[in-house]
Each structure stands twice: as C-alpha cells, then as structure tokens.
Amino acid sequence: MKIALIGFGGMGQATNRIALERGHDVTAIVDPDHSEATHADLDVVALNGADVAIDFARADGVLGRIG
C-alpha cells in the first residue's frame, strides 16, 4: 500500500515506522515543521500516487486542509 502521512508528530512517526516494517511505501510526509517531511503543504502533488492519506495533523486545521 502507498501511504501519505499528514502530520509527523508521535503518531505519524510511529505509523511511518510500522508501515515501512510491514513493507508499505510511504509516498509523502506532509508537515510544515518537521525536517523529515517531504512536503510542507498538503496539495495534489503531495498526494499523487498515494492509495490512502492518514491525517495526524492538528484538528483545528482540518477544514483548511480538505478545501
């Protein structure tokens, strides 16, 4: 499975580790504040090629991300 992770705090990092251990492909890590992120902003480029996106970012920004 190809996974895009949105938010790379504790849960995003744990999901990334487990996904890679299980042979999944993390196609994007979206987080404006993390040095390991592949994208600072959530957009079509960040989600390109992902089968699923898992959002672990702050809840108060979710409406702005789904626009």
Side-chain angles (χ1 to χ4, degrees):
M1 182 182 320
K2 296 177 182 176
I3 302 169
L5 295 174
I6 305 161
F8 206 57
M11 286 299 296
Q13 290 175 39
T15 301
N16 181 57
R17 180 180 46 77
I18 293 166
L20 295 175
E21 287 172 359
R22 295 184 179 183
H24 299 292
D25 183 18
V26 176
T27 60
I29 298 170
V30 182
D31 191 313
D33 301 318
H34 202 284
S35 63
E36 291 182 53
T38 59
H39 299 83
D41 298 308
L42 180 60
D43 57 19
V44 69
V45 174
L47 298 179
N48 189 34
D51 297 317
V52 63
I54 304 172
D55 190 344
F56 291 112
R58 292 178 46 137
D60 60 0
V62 74
L63 292 179
R65 290 190 296 278
I66 62 172

